Amino acid sequence: MSVAGPDIRTAFASFFQKNGHLLLSSAPLVPHGDRSLLFTVAGMVPLKAYFLGQDTSPAGRLTSCQKCFRTEDLEQVGFTARHHTFFEMLGNFSIGDYYKDEAIAYAFSFLTRDLGLDPRRLAFTIHPDDEVARKAWKKVAAVGDDRIVPLSENFWEMGKGLPGPCGYDSELFWDTEKTCSCGRSNCQPGCDGDRWLEIWNLVFMEFDRTQDGTLLPLPRPSIDTGMGLERITAVVEGVGSNFDTSLLAPLVQGFASRSANPDADSAAWRVCADHVRGASFLVADGVLPGNEGRGYVLRRLIRRAALFARRAELTGGLAAGVGELASIMGEAYPELHERQAFIQGVIQTEEMAFAQTLDAGMSRLDQLLAQAGSGATLSGQDAFRLHDTYGLPVEVTVELARQQRVAVDMAGFQEELSRQQERSRSSARTQGNKVSEVPSATTTFVGYDQLEIDTQVISVLPDEVAGQGHFLVFLEESPFYAEAGGQVGDSGTLRWESGSALVLDTTYVADKVRAHHVKADSPPAPGTRVTASVDALRRAAIARHHSATHLLHKALREVLGESAVQRGSYVGPQHATFDFAFARALTESEIERVEETTNSAIRANYHRSVDLLPIGEARRKGAVALFGERYGETVRIVDFGGWAMELCGGTHVADSGNIGCVFILGEQGIGQGVRRISMVAGDAAVATFRGNHRRLREVASGLRVRVEEVPERVALMAARLRELEKATRTGDRGAQALLSRATIEEHGDVRLAVLDIPDADSELVGVLTDGLFSERMHGKGVALVLGKETLAIKVGPEEVSRGVSARVLVNAAAAAAGGKGGGRPEFGRGGFESGRRAGVPAAIRSVLAGEKVDA
Ligand code: SER
């Protein structure tokens, strides 16, 4: 058959469009505004409100190919032909428009005509009480009663007991014509064996299951159908496993080809393929690995896959599959292309983090399993420690334990987990503050708009860390920002009728509990009305640095690509550092481009707006989330003119122009794949320029050049220094040997040293003259060195005072040997003709002997 996976997607859409259905694009995996579900688990999830009559559907007939995600059978994934976490569901929906007859007729027609499936290999299940459905199948499919199987379980709901629309359903089965594993030759759908494959579910929605479990009639009976794209593709492509379809096989093979372990279990590729697909789609829809809710599901998924990848010795890790996935599915789901680098970054980071703790965790688990022995149970405490200390998801522990026939006490694990959650709720969180008793009252933060307010003291505790005279003051309302998200806490003052105190810092000591670190002789008593004022200048400087990091983050991604995402930051009044994912050092020109892009955004004077949005919407708008940070359902988006949009709780400038400018001080690696940029903004940047400029002027004046000439002069000096060092090194090596060749003569009371090195260049002659004079003559007398057509003479101060002049000697020698010379009484240089070198010492000797001969 020629239809392949992606074509089935299109064939389905056009069949139902032809039949009057409006084609909807897939909604995100994270259901919007639906707190009853973690993920979109079926095609009808985004349409729930239409079925329930809470919202008006854009049309009575809808169709979609919806991305879905389920984790109920996570441990099965990879080991069976059809379990997935992520899958696509094809569906047609009637919102009070057509009902059973049409739904059945459409399904049969699409399968047998459009996909060309053999009608004789189809069978249908119905609810035993659903006479209408039975009649419809008989009419449409013209089949005998043996192909219409009544099953009492044919009632579909969102999940066991979950609220939402529900009703009888009818399932379509495909006869694989295998000898069924049940052993019977005439088994029917509903048999647990492997002959009958369920391919399509038609739900006849009649009821709304309410929160308390009652069934109420829906405003209008409706239709919800769902056909897993992977399954139908396997049928159409005639392959036994969904993993062998054109939708998944290239991904599976990609992983297989990167394995360095020939003995690896082939389930590993399927696990990696499924989980990387699932994880990528989750990340694309804004889920980030974390310790709770959706984030934890994602973390489990990546870590389970990483475990298999590790055993299979996969090169390139899991992230290597993301590109392949984008090429297989990116046309239907452009978010995979758009966020590819980001997805890769998230998966890689989680994989790396896991790898760090895994070794320790695994060997601990092996030990525990060996101790426990087959048939035993691992205690909840041990499982919790593996989870808490080693980051081993409990599901991974369960899976590995199961392979050794060891059970895990999950109830005990849950108990430990809730105990820890309780502990962390009530324990101090920051800076090791030992707060003996955390006040339960939370403080209302008003500091986004106000820097000074009148409020009341709730309670006061001694600050045990800072010691005598230091207190933690808790206020009803506060304009003080407490250290969070990299931004330092505010400082300022508290004033009240009978006193005042300095606020040195502000931190959270527990969730939403804000401590003002106060220094005071006697603190305000609980109940006192105080005026709380933030140091406004310091706050403004912090805001400039914080806003600058947002612009820098965007600039980094513009210059280096989308994978350069934030890993952390420090934002203070004097400077900021920004950590981001990047594999290598930045070049000078990249740093300049990042700085320039940031400064252009400052000059563009983007207005800063703040929006509180549901997280899904925020991500759809393109807001950047930070790794490892967890956000509640509603998030705060800080946006600079649509250019740089981030989820952030910090305080910012009103317009990007207020930052003034930024200046990157440096860039360095701070860990595997993580770089850090240090920068200064606003006043701090100006102070840095000013300081640098002053130092430059000092250098220029020291070198006696203009500021602009400093680089050239320094380069010259450096070159000269290098030459000298080279000469010294040469000198060091050979100098002693050369100097030892000198002869020393007495001419009256003047000692003359003569060194003749015929191939020495003038540079070496200079160096040797110095050496000869200081080392052999100890700074006295006359030192003469002859090189190749060049000579130099040095005369000691005593001899100079007695009238001996190097200039005179050089001139006499040069004249005698056909050259020229010059210099000062202490030192002179000259040249001579090579054939007349013997004339040089002779001339010197006669000058010294004949005494004062003026040249
Ligand atoms: N909601 C039904 C299912 O998930 C049909 O789409 O099976």
Side-chain angles (χ1 to χ4, degrees):
M1 231 165 273
S2 62
V3 207
D7 303 329
I8 297 176
R9 219 185 265 134
T10 342
F12 188 88
S14 32
F15 174 86
F16 283 99
Q17 280 178 297
K18 260 192 312 219
N19 285 296
H21 292 66
L22 173 71
L23 175 65
L24 301 176
S25 54
S26 176
L29 286 176
V30 176
H32 175 52
D34 186 342
R35 287 173 180 277
S36 67
L37 283 176
L38 271 189
F39 298 108
T40 301
V41 291
M44 51 74 68
V45 168
L47 316 176
K48 240 166 90 178
Y50 303 153
F51 289 116
L52 296 173
Q54 297 162 344
D55 200 354
T56 319
S57 171
R61 296 172 169 225
L62 306 170
T63 184
S64 67
C65 177
Q66 172 64 46
K67 34 186 189 178
C68 298
F69 188 88
R70 294 184 187 173
T71 48
E72 292 97 87
D73 301 310
L74 188 66
E75 321 77 62
Q76 306 281 340
V77 176
F79 294 93
T80 70
R82 305 193 206 287
H83 281 97
H84 301 293
T85 54
F86 174 90
F87 63 99
E88 291 171 83
M89 198 178 256
L90 302 165
N92 57 293
F93 311 93
S94 150
I95 316 290
D97 188 302
Y98 58 84
Y99 203 42
K100 295 185 192 180
D101 287 333
E102 292 90 332
I104 287 175
Y106 284 143
F108 189 74
S109 165
F110 177 70
L111 291 183
T112 55
R113 297 218 190 110
D114 290 59
L115 295 189
L117 298 188
D118 181 353
R120 284 163 309 183
R121 290 176 70 177
L122 291 172
F124 318 97
T125 64
I126 54 165
H127 190 272
D129 297 340
D130 198 346
E131 195 47 31
V132 180
R134 200 181 62 79
K135 282 203 181 120
W137 278 123
K138 265 191 99 69
K139 186 169 148 227
V140 165
V143 285
D145 281 337
D146 63 323
R147 285 286 158 127
I148 305 175
V149 186
L151 290 175
S152 55
E153 68 225 36
N154 273 27
F155 185 90
W156 190 90
E157 50 191 324
M158 302 283 301
K160 266 251 157 303
L162 279 187
C166 52
Y168 291 155
D169 67 348
S170 174
E171 294 178 332
L172 284 75
F173 281 80
W174 175 249
D175 188 353
T176 62
E177 296 181 336
K178 278 192 208 170
T179 314
C180 191
S181 51
C182 75
R184 285 173 294 150
S185 62
N186 61 346
C187 71
Q188 286 185 311
C191 160
D192 282 339
D194 58 354
R195 173 175 161 192
W196 293 97
L197 177 63
E198 184 210 322
I199 50 175
W200 201 341
N201 186 15
L202 316 182
V203 184
F204 312 126
M205 287 189 168
E206 288 181 76
F207 308 110
D208 172 16
R209 190 180 288 286
T210 59
Q211 289 286 355
D212 63 11
T214 15
L215 290 178
L216 298 177
L218 279 186
R220 285 178 300 174
S222 295
I223 292 294
D224 150 36
T225 88
M227 173 157 65
L229 178 65
E230 294 76 5
R231 283 187 179 210
I232 190 64
T233 304
V235 169
V236 171
E237 293 181 351
V239 292
S241 160
N242 295 1
F243 288 98
D244 294 334
T245 62
S246 55
L247 295 168
L248 277 155
L251 199 57
V252 175
Q253 282 152 14
F255 281 114
S257 68
R258 287 189 293 278
S259 165
N261 176 359
D263 302 325
D265 183 349
S266 65
W269 329 134
R270 295 190 292 271
V271 170
C272 292
D274 176 274
H275 290 9
V276 164
R277 194 163 84 132
S280 300
F281 273 98
L282 286 178
V283 175
D285 281 344
V287 182
L288 289 175
N291 284 331
E292 279 170 21
R294 297 181 181 112
Y296 184 64
V297 173
L298 174 59
R299 169 158 289 169
R300 249 170 80 189
L301 203 64
I302 299 177
R303 293 191 169 199
R304 182 170 187 261
L307 209 60
F308 281 89
R310 184 181 153 102
R311 287 197 211 134
E313 296 167 33
L314 218 60
T315 49
L318 296 172
V322 177
E324 272 160 359
L325 175 68
S327 44
I328 303 168
M329 301 190 72
E331 202 179 314
Y333 300 98
E335 65 268 33
L336 292 177
H337 283 308
E338 285 157 15
R339 310 203 80 188
Q340 185 177 331
F342 181 71
I343 297 169
Q344 271 164 338
V346 172
I347 293 183
Q348 212 163 34
T349 309
E350 183 59 21
E351 219 179 341
M352 262 159 55
F354 185 43
Q356 275 164 15
T357 48
L358 193 62
D359 283 329
M362 295 277 281
S363 65
R364 181 70 194 129
L365 178 61
D366 284 344
Q367 252 172 21
L368 290 169
L369 292 179
Q371 275 164 20
S374 171
T377 300
L378 192 70
S379 77
Q381 252 179 7
D382 284 335
F384 178 75
R385 216 163 292 132
L386 288 166
H387 154 93
D388 195 40
T389 317
Y390 300 100
L392 211 58
V394 71
E395 294 76 11
V396 172
T397 303
V398 170
E399 196 163 330
L400 294 174
R402 199 183 45 182
Q403 288 167 14
Q404 314 266 335
R405 290 180 216 298
V406 173
V408 176
D409 172 12
M410 283 305 289
F413 170 83
Q414 283 305 341
E415 213 170 285
E416 289 295 324
L417 189 66
S418 5
R419 250 186 243 151
Q420 187 217 35
Q421 281 162 351
E422 193 45 48
R423 275 196 305 274
S424 63
R425 262 196 288 278
S426 59
S427 76
R429 255 190 15 198
T430 54
Q431 295 183 355
N433 274 316
K434 282 202 296 170
V435 179
S436 25
E437 170 208 342
V438 174
S440 56
T442 57
T443 310
T444 310
F445 179 59
V446 298
Y448 288 131
D449 315 305
Q450 284 166 278
L451 293 182
E452 180 169 290
I453 54 152
D454 286 334
T455 185
Q456 186 163 321
V457 175
I458 307 174
S459 61
V460 181
L461 294 173
D463 184 341
E464 291 167 19
V465 176
Q468 185 116 37
H470 291 264
F471 303 89
L472 301 178
V473 175
F474 300 88
L475 301 172
E476 241 171 42
E477 288 183 306
S478 172
F480 286 83
Y481 183 86
E483 181 191 331
Q487 180 178 330
V488 298
D490 278 332
S491 58
T493 57
L494 298 182
R495 281 171 288 132
W496 60 100
E497 216 181 319
S498 58
S500 67
L502 282 180
V503 177
L504 303 177
D505 195 4
T506 314
T507 61
Y508 285 113
V509 288
D511 201 22
K512 298 200 178 87
V513 183
R514 189 176 299 259
H516 302 81
H517 297 240
V518 156
K519 185 173 184 297
D521 296 336
S522 70
T528 310
R529 296 291 310 174
V530 294
T531 302
S533 336
V534 172
D535 176 342
L537 281 180
R538 182 172 175 274
R539 163 69 87 79
I542 295 168
R544 279 193 290 272
H545 281 99
H546 200 154
S547 301
T549 62
H550 284 209
L551 303 184
L552 179 88
H553 190 192
K554 174 69 182 175
L556 278 168
R557 283 175 291 123
E558 291 229 323
V559 174
L560 305 175
E562 281 301 310
S563 68
V565 288
Q566 178 164 7
R567 286 285 196 273
S569 67
Y570 162 85
V571 174
Q574 305 294 344
H575 80 287
T577 60
F578 187 85
D579 304 341
F580 59 102
F582 204 60
R584 56 163 174 85
L586 270 59
T587 63
E588 199 55 41
S589 105
E590 282 168 338
I591 295 177
E592 275 173 19
R593 268 154 60 213
V594 168
E595 192 181 74
E596 184 41 41
T597 310
T598 312
N599 279 314
S600 305
I602 290 172
R603 288 191 296 272
N605 202 20
Y606 293 127
H607 183 61
R608 185 260 300 152
S609 59
V610 172
D611 251 342
L612 295 176
L613 291 179
I615 192 147
E617 206 173 309
R619 297 211 204 276
R620 267 196 300 284
K621 285 181 83 170
V624 178
L626 305 190
F627 283 97
E629 296 220 340
R630 272 176 279 128
Y631 298 95
E633 276 296 297
T634 302
V635 293
R636 184 172 184 264
I637 305 294
V638 175
D639 176 16
F640 283 94
W643 188 74
M645 217 186 286
E646 300 218 9
L647 274 62
C648 176
T651 60
H652 288 273
V653 297
D655 300 281
S656 67
N658 301 145
I659 298 169
C661 61
V662 301
F663 178 50
I664 293 182
L665 297 172
E667 185 266 353
Q668 67 184 119
I670 55 159
Q672 204 186 355
V674 184
R675 315 289 310 173
R676 170 171 295 171
I677 279 185
S678 312
M679 66 169 173
V680 278
D683 298 359
V686 173
T688 307
F689 296 141
R690 198 177 285 138
N692 286 350
H693 194 67
R694 194 189 56 237
R695 283 186 280 275
L696 188 59
R697 277 203 315 268
E698 283 167 13
V699 171
S701 99
L703 294 173
R704 299 189 208 295
V705 293
R706 287 180 296 131
V707 161
E708 304 78 65
E709 292 163 355
V710 166
E712 199 186 330
R713 173 54 60 98
V714 169
L716 261 172
M717 287 171 61
R720 172 89 187 117
L721 201 61
R722 272 193 303 279
E723 275 171 26
L724 281 176
E725 278 167 357
K726 195 171 141 209
T728 313
R729 275 198 302 279
T730 323
D732 279 351
R733 262 186 276 113
Q736 295 312 324
L738 292 177
L739 293 181
S740 68
R741 289 200 219 155
T743 54
I744 294 176
E745 315 161 5
E746 307 273 344
H747 294 279
D749 50 2
V750 178
R751 271 157 59 89
L752 168 68
V754 182
L755 178 58
D756 191 348
I757 309 288
D759 58 354
D761 62 9
S762 75
E763 181 95 37
L764 185 57
V765 167
V767 173
L768 288 174
T769 311
D770 281 342
L772 184 61
F773 184 69
S774 59
E775 297 201 9
R776 295 289 309 270
M777 304 296 283
H778 306 292
K780 292 192 193 113
V782 178
L784 162 67
V785 177
L786 291 88
K788 189 174 176 229
E789 298 175 0
T790 158
L791 71 110
I793 292 178
K794 204 157 181 172
V795 177
E798 203 189 308
E799 286 70 22
V800 169
S801 69
R802 288 184 3 231
V804 183
S805 162
R807 177 164 38 95
V808 173
L809 294 173
V810 163
N811 284 341
K820 278 194 180 137
R824 292 169 284 115
E826 302 81 15
F827 182 75
R829 272 179 175 283
F832 55 86
E833 283 175 17
S834 54
R836 298 165 68 182
R837 67 187 302 120
V840 172
I844 303 282
R845 283 180 196 117
S846 52
V847 173
L848 289 178
E851 307 245 303
K852 292 169 192 153
V853 176
D854 272 338

